[in-house]
Amino acid sequence: MSDTPTPFAAKHAPAPAGAPWLPDFCSLPVLLSAMLVVELLVVAVLLAPSDETRPLLPRLGTATVFAQWLTLLCIVCLCMLRATFSRLPSWASVAAAHAILVAAVAAGSAVVFSIDQQLGLGLTLPAALGARFVLRNALLAALVGAALLRYFYVIEQWRARVRAETQARLDGLQARIRPHFLFNSMNTIASLIRAQPLAAEHAVMDLSDLFRAALGANNKPSTLAAELELAQRYLAIERLRLGERLQVDFDLAADLPRDLPVPALLLQPLVENAIHHGIQPLAEGGTVRVHAQREESGGALIRIANPRPVDSARVPSRNGVALANTRMRIEYHFGRRGALDVREGEHDFEVILRLPTP
Amino acid sequence: MKVLIADDEPPARTRMASLLAELGDIEIVGEAGDGRAAVEMAARVAPDLVLLDINMPSMDGFEAARHLAALAPAPAVIFCTAYDEHALAAFEANAIDYLVKPIRIERLQAALTRARRYGNALPAVLPPAAHARTHLCARVRGNLVMVPIADIVYLIAEDKYVRVHHARGEVLVEESLKALETEFEERFVRIHRNCLVAKQRLVGLVRTADERVFAHLADCAEQLEVSRRCLPALRKFVKGG
C-alpha cells in the first residue's frame, strides 16, 4: 500500500485552469437555490424602509413574480450556453456567464417595462424613468449574480475535493497485494526454475498479470470476467506455493454476465484473505470455493468461502479492514444496490457479493 | 552438520535442500511443514541447526524457537522469511542469523559459517514472548509431547511441576502456575491456590451439603474444589459469562 505523495497532493490542488467548473445550470438543485436566493433578496429589499404608501403583500407578490421570472430566464439562458462556456478558459467562462446573466436581466426588464407602459398598470416606474429601471435591475443582477456564481464555485470545489479524496483513498487501497506474497512467490519461482521450468514460466506470467492489475488499474473499471480470471491466476500461484494444502473449487455459471463492469482488483484481495486467514493457518489446509452465478436482475452473485481455524490459531486480523475497504468500493461503484455480506460459521467463513447491473 | 528444514511451503523446502546440497558437508536430517512438527522432529533427531520459517501454521517460527531452546542439546536456529518485518524480533530471539527469501547461496553460506562457529553457544535465554504460546512442551519417558493450549482442561500445581490435564490425558511440565496464569490470562481462571481451569470449559459452580464449592467443567468428571478466596471473583466470572 503506497500512496506516493505526488499524485496524492496533486489531487488536493484546485482544479487546473480551464477545467469546467460551472455548475450544471440545467439541474433542479441549482435552479432551486438560485430561486431561493432571489426570493430572499426580494423580501429583504421590500422590508427595507421605503415608500410605505402601498400595502406590503401585493408589492411582494408583484416583485416575486417579476424577480423569479427573470431568474428562470437567466437559468434557461445559462443552461443552454453552458456547453459553449465550458470550452473557454476558467476565468472567461465565469465572465461570460456573468455577462449573459446581466444581459438577460436587462433585456427582461426592458420588455416588462414596455409591457407595463402599454397596459398602463403602473407596476414599474413612470415612463420617463425607463432607462433607470433597466439599469437598476441590471446592476442588482450583476451583484446577486456575482455572489451566486461565487457560491456555486465554492460548492463545486468542495465536491471536487471530496471526489478526489475518495478516489485517492481507493487508489491506495487498490495497490494492496501483501509484500509477503510477492517474495514468497519469487522464492517459489526460484525453486521451480531448475526442476520445472514450464511451471516457473507460467508462475512468472501469472505474477506479472497480478502486479499489472495492482499497479496500473487506477481508473479503468474492469469486467467481472477479467476479475475472476485474475483471482484464478492468483490461486494458481498460491497452489504452487502451498501444494496439496490448497484445494480450489472454482465454479462459474455458464450464463454469468461476463462483461459486467466492476471495480478493478475487487475479487483478488478477498481470495487472498481466504488464503491468508483460512488456509495458511491450517496445517492440513483446506478448500477455497469461488462460486459465481447470475442473478435474475442480470447482475452477479459471487460467494467466496474458506475454512476457518479455531480461535487460538487465528491470524491477528486485518480482515475486518480489508472487508470494510471492499464494502466501500462496492458502495462507491454500485450505490446502494450492491452489497457485501459476511457469513461467519464456527469452522468456515464466507463473503457474499451482490454486483448489480449499472 | 545435521540440519533440519522447517517451512510450510514445499517449493521453499525443495529450494533450501538444493542450496544446502550445493554447499556440501551438510546432512539434512529432516523436513517439517509446521512449527510443532519441527520441534517434535528436532527432539527426535537432535539436529545441530534448524532453518526455521517464521510464518507457519500450528505454531509459528518464534514459538518453535522458544521450544527448541528448551531442548537438550538445543540446536542453533536460523530464521528464514519472505519479508523482513520480523528482523528485530529474530535478533531478540537470539537467532544465529536471519535470511530473507529468495535466499542467496552466499548469504546462506555465511549463516552456516556463523552457526558452525557459535553453534548453540549463544545464550538460550529467551526474552518473554510478545504473544502467549500456542502449545506447552513436556517430556514423557524421554519423548517430547506438545499439548495445544486449546486442549487444556485444567492445570494443577504439584511441587515444582504443573500437572496439565488435557483432552487426551495428562503431562507434567516444569513451569510455575503463576507464570502460566500470567501468560495465558485470557484463557484460564484461578479457582484455587494450586489450580487454574480453562474459562471456556467452566460450566458452573456446585455447592455441596457441607458448604464446599466445586467447579463443574464440561467434558470432565473430576471435581475441583474452589477456594473461599477465589470464590467471589469466580462467581462474578460465571455470571458474566
Side-chain angles (χ1 to χ4, degrees):
Chain A
M1 166 136 39
S2 65
D3 307 337
T4 46
T6 329
F8 202 79
K11 276 178 182 131
H12 283 280
W21 66 266
L22 283 177
D24 185 6
F25 289 108
C26 312
S27 73
L28 203 58
V30 169
L31 176 63
L32 287 181
S33 36
M35 288 174 76
L36 184 69
V37 169
V38 166
E39 190 57 35
L40 289 175
L41 184 79
V42 167
V43 172
V45 165
L46 286 182
L47 286 179
S50 63
D51 173 18
E52 300 291 351
T53 52
R54 282 190 290 165
L56 193 63
L57 273 182
R59 277 197 299 153
L60 179 65
T62 319
T64 298
V65 169
F66 179 51
Q68 295 297 5
W69 177 72
L70 285 179
T71 308
L72 283 174
L73 184 70
C74 291
I75 295 283
V76 167
C77 289
L78 289 172
C79 170
M80 289 194 312
L81 290 169
R82 180 173 186 260
T84 321
F85 288 169
S86 292
R87 269 181 246 127
L88 301 172
S90 186
W91 61 270
S93 71
V94 180
H98 196 240
I100 286 293
L101 205 131
V102 174
V105 168
S109 300
V111 170
V112 167
F113 186 76
S114 73
I115 292 174
D116 184 48
Q117 295 305 315
Q118 300 282 318
L119 298 178
L121 296 175
L123 290 172
T124 56
L125 294 179
L129 300 175
R132 187 198 269 189
F133 179 72
V134 171
L135 203 66
R136 209 177 62 178
N137 286 344
L139 214 59
L140 267 173
L143 292 174
V144 175
L148 261 179
L149 284 173
R150 170 74 196 159
Y151 165 76
F152 286 134
Y153 175 74
V154 169
I155 291 281
E156 201 69 11
Q157 285 294 73
W158 177 73
R159 286 217 183 105
R161 170 168 295 196
V162 169
R163 264 201 301 274
E165 266 169 16
T166 314
Q167 187 59 47
R169 213 155 60 209
L170 291 179
D171 291 351
L173 296 179
Q174 217 160 49
R176 208 196 53 83
I177 290 184
R178 290 186 173 90
H180 258 118
F181 168 69
L182 172 63
F183 295 113
N184 275 326
S185 303
M186 289 297 185
N187 197 41
T188 304
I189 292 167
S191 76
L192 288 175
I193 281 178
R194 272 181 252 178
Q196 304 177 51
L198 209 62
E201 192 179 335
H202 279 287
V204 168
M205 290 186 291
D206 289 344
L207 199 60
S208 304
D209 281 345
L210 274 166
F211 274 83
R212 193 169 296 121
L215 299 172
N218 285 350
N219 293 314
K220 286 175 284 179
S222 180
T223 63
L224 183 59
E227 287 307 304
L228 286 165
E229 162 113 25
L230 212 57
Q232 261 170 320
R233 295 200 178 284
Y234 171 76
L235 286 167
I237 296 179
E238 292 290 52
R239 188 115 164 77
L240 285 177
R241 188 165 77 82
L242 297 169
E244 291 302 307
R245 279 168 64 210
L246 172 61
Q247 301 296 320
V248 175
D249 170 7
F250 217 89
D251 183 14
L252 309 183
D255 60 349
L256 203 64
R258 302 179 58 79
D259 298 327
L260 188 74
V262 299
L265 223 64
L266 181 73
L267 301 177
Q268 186 274 338
L270 297 175
V271 178
E272 188 171 342
N273 262 346
I275 295 207
H276 189 76
H277 297 281
I279 307 299
Q280 202 130 280
L282 289 169
E284 69 277 15
T287 305
V288 169
R289 288 194 175 77
V290 180
H291 287 192
Q293 62 193 79
R294 186 194 182 88
E295 288 203 293
E296 273 175 29
S297 60
L301 180 75
I302 296 170
R303 295 162 173 276
I304 299 169
N306 57 270
R308 174 181 218 219
V310 291
D311 279 345
S312 60
R314 254 168 225 171
V315 179
S317 189
R318 250 182 48 174
N319 204 355
V321 182
L323 283 176
N325 289 344
T326 308
R327 188 171 279 136
M328 194 177 90
R329 296 185 65 198
I330 288 179
E331 210 167 272
Y332 182 72
H333 190 269
F334 295 102
R336 280 166 187 278
R337 293 184 306 137
L340 183 154
D341 295 313
V342 169
R343 208 181 47 72
E344 277 182 74
E346 182 78 16
H347 298 289
D348 58 343
F349 189 90
E350 188 176 34
V351 177
I352 302 156
L353 298 176
R354 270 167 225 284
L355 310 175
T357 48
Chain B
M1 187 158 56
K2 292 198 288 179
V3 177
L4 180 92
I5 302 172
D7 197 308
D8 62 326
E9 299 169 13
R13 292 200 298 268
T14 312
R15 177 163 148 79
M16 182 62 88
S18 66
L19 289 178
L20 290 172
E22 279 179 43
L23 290 174
D25 191 25
I26 298 284
E27 184 198 350
I28 297 171
V29 291
E31 292 189 15
D34 62 72
R36 184 179 167 177
V39 177
E40 283 167 349
M41 198 178 280
R44 266 202 319 278
V45 301
D48 302 308
L49 170 70
V50 181
L51 292 160
L52 205 52
D53 182 30
I54 291 176
N55 285 319
M56 286 188 289
S58 295
M59 181 192 287
D60 71 13
F62 289 129
E63 188 183 343
R66 290 183 68 184
H67 292 301
L68 288 172
L71 294 180
V77 167
I78 295 176
F79 285 116
C80 314
T81 188
Y83 187 55
D84 48 5
E85 62 193 335
H86 300 300
L88 196 65
F91 282 113
E92 283 173 356
N94 285 313
I96 290 276
D97 209 340
Y98 176 86
L99 301 172
V100 289
K101 296 186 212 170
I103 294 162
R104 285 179 185 280
I105 193 157
E106 303 83 22
R107 274 295 284 123
L108 179 62
Q109 186 154 32
L112 291 174
T113 307
R114 277 168 66 90
R116 279 200 186 91
R117 189 179 310 151
Y118 298 110
N120 48 19
L122 281 185
V125 183
L126 290 175
H131 303 289
R133 288 169 289 172
T134 59
H135 291 73
L136 291 185
C137 218
R139 288 238 164 228
V140 177
R141 289 183 296 278
N143 292 324
L144 191 80
V145 175
M146 312 280 278
V147 180
I149 299 298
D151 287 356
I152 297 175
V153 184
Y154 63 97
L155 302 156
I156 299 255
E158 287 180 8
D159 297 330
K160 53 179 194 167
Y161 297 100
V162 169
R163 187 172 292 280
V164 179
H165 294 256
H166 58 94
R168 286 181 303 276
E170 54 176 78
V171 292
L172 279 181
V173 296
E174 219 173 322
E175 304 195 41
S176 85
L177 197 65
K178 181 80 198 106
L180 289 171
E181 185 184 19
T182 313
E183 183 174 354
F184 303 107
E185 201 182 2
E186 307 246 299
R187 213 163 251 285
F188 298 105
V189 61
R190 191 178 277 269
I191 64 164
H192 196 276
R193 191 167 39 80
N194 68 1
C195 184
L196 298 175
V197 303
K199 289 181 183 175
Q200 258 186 335
R201 300 190 188 245
L202 185 62
V203 183
L205 304 174
V206 184
R207 188 181 288 273
T208 57
D210 53 350
E211 288 295 301
R212 297 200 303 169
V213 178
F214 291 88
H216 180 38
L217 300 185
D219 311 321
C220 175
E222 204 86 27
Q223 293 284 323
L224 299 169
E225 183 161 9
V226 178
S227 71
R228 231 172 255 284
R229 198 176 182 186
C230 299
L231 192 58
L234 204 58
R235 276 239 169 82
K236 206 184 252 175
F237 173 77
V238 171
K239 261 186 205 148

